[in-house]
Amino acid sequence: MHTTAASAVELASAIVKGLGAEDRVTVAVCPPFPYLSRVAEVLLGSRVALGAQNMYPEKEGAFTGEVSPTMLVDVGCRYVILGHSERRHKLGETDALINQKVRKALAAGLRGILCVGETLEEREANQTEAVLDRQMRRGLAEVNRSELKELVLAYEPVWAIGTGRNATPDQAQQASAFIRRTIADIFGEEPAQEIPIQYGGSVKPENARSLMAQPDVDGALVGGACLISDQFLAIIRAALPG
């Protein structure tokens, strides 16, 4: 919940300019709902895709204050973040609701970025794998194997979001490897190897390369650092090979 119309446009413009024709990395920005259309105009013709931070799992109807997947597609969104930890823990979203969102996003032609992750209490109780297993199995219920190619998974340890405390590269790798093994158990080895897994949790230019160098970490879901174009572009560069 940051930026104004003017600063959102300025930030998106700087990212488009900074990325240029670079095509070895996939980049998307997810501004707040009021600025989606303005940012979409800036991104037109660029290599930066548009995403939203959330959606309601219905096409239309009497859901005052909500935004539908078809509305997101209509304004140019390609991605939507689903089940972010702040929505789970601050706004009470359940695995069942998140699963509805995943299925409705896929049906609308959006690529869902499904977030999973444990709290500090759960990690200290050695429940990390149990929490990730539950969130994935419930969040991906009734999703077909063929639909998995339209999904991105994001491991975001709740204890590392907005705290300045990030998981070590080894912790990020362990969790991401477990996520991949779980996907293999549910859907098979091939889709498990193909699905992108991001790490999200206080990603900064200083730690981005070491995190994304891990074999099962394919990218980053960036929070505060994306509000400063130079920092976000530095994280993008950290994802490039070589």
Side-chain angles (χ1 to χ4, degrees):
M1 202 164 65
H2 287 280
T3 69
T4 62
S7 64
V9 166
E10 182 181 5
L11 180 57
S13 299
I15 293 166
V16 167
K17 182 179 179 181
L19 185 66
E22 177 59 65
D23 62 359
R24 292 175 294 170
V25 63
T26 300
V27 177
V29 295
C30 301
F33 289 140
Y35 310 134
L36 283 171
S37 293
R38 295 285 296 274
V39 172
E41 293 173 6
V42 176
L43 303 185
L44 201 61
S46 78
R47 294 193 176 276
V48 183
L50 183 68
Q53 298 178 12
N54 182 42
M55 50 160 261
Y56 190 77
E58 291 292 344
K59 183 178 180 179
E60 62 183 12
F63 305 102
T64 300
E66 296 295 338
V67 175
S68 76
T70 48
M71 291 173 179
L72 298 182
V73 172
D74 187 46
V75 296
C77 286
R78 180 72 183 94
Y79 293 87
V80 60
I81 300 172
L82 305 170
H84 191 282
S85 67
E86 289 162 359
R87 298 205 62 83
R88 290 178 186 267
H89 297 286
K90 293 184 180 180
L91 296 163
E93 291 197 2
T94 63
D95 289 323
L97 176 61
I98 293 161
N99 174 246
Q100 285 183 292
K101 294 185 179 188
V102 168
R103 290 186 284 121
K104 291 290 186 177
L106 291 169
L110 289 164
R111 292 200 73 182
I113 302 171
L114 173 62
C115 301
V116 295
E118 81 284 12
T119 63
L120 180 61
E121 294 75 16
E122 289 165 340
R123 171 165 280 273
E124 291 180 340
N126 294 317
Q127 295 175 344
T128 295
E129 292 188 353
V131 170
L132 295 177
D133 186 84
R134 185 197 77 236
Q135 290 176 342
M136 283 191 294
R137 291 183 188 276
R138 293 181 181 177
L140 296 172
E142 298 183 47
V143 172
N144 296 324
R145 174 174 167 154
S146 61
E147 295 176 308
L148 210 64
K149 66 181 183 299
E150 291 300 312
L151 284 174
V152 176
L153 298 177
Y155 169 60
E156 42 160 27
V158 181
W159 47 271
I161 295 172
T163 62
R165 174 182 175 181
N166 60 289
T168 65
D170 186 57
Q171 287 172 323
Q173 167 57 24
Q174 287 179 13
S176 298
F178 176 78
I179 289 170
R180 207 176 295 281
R181 290 196 302 272
T182 305
I183 292 297
D185 185 55
I186 302 170
F187 296 99
E189 191 63 37
E190 186 177 340
Q193 292 306 315
E194 291 176 351
I195 193 165
I197 300 175
Q198 299 178 317
Y199 169 77
S202 297
V203 178
K204 300 180 285 288
E206 300 79 41
N207 61 26
R209 188 174 296 279
S210 60
L211 287 164
M212 291 188 283
Q214 301 305 307
D216 288 295
V217 179
D218 303 311
L221 186 66
V222 185
C226 73
L227 295 171
I228 303 169
S229 58
D230 287 347
Q231 289 193 20
F232 189 42
L233 289 165
I235 293 170
I236 293 170
R237 287 192 293 273
L240 295 172

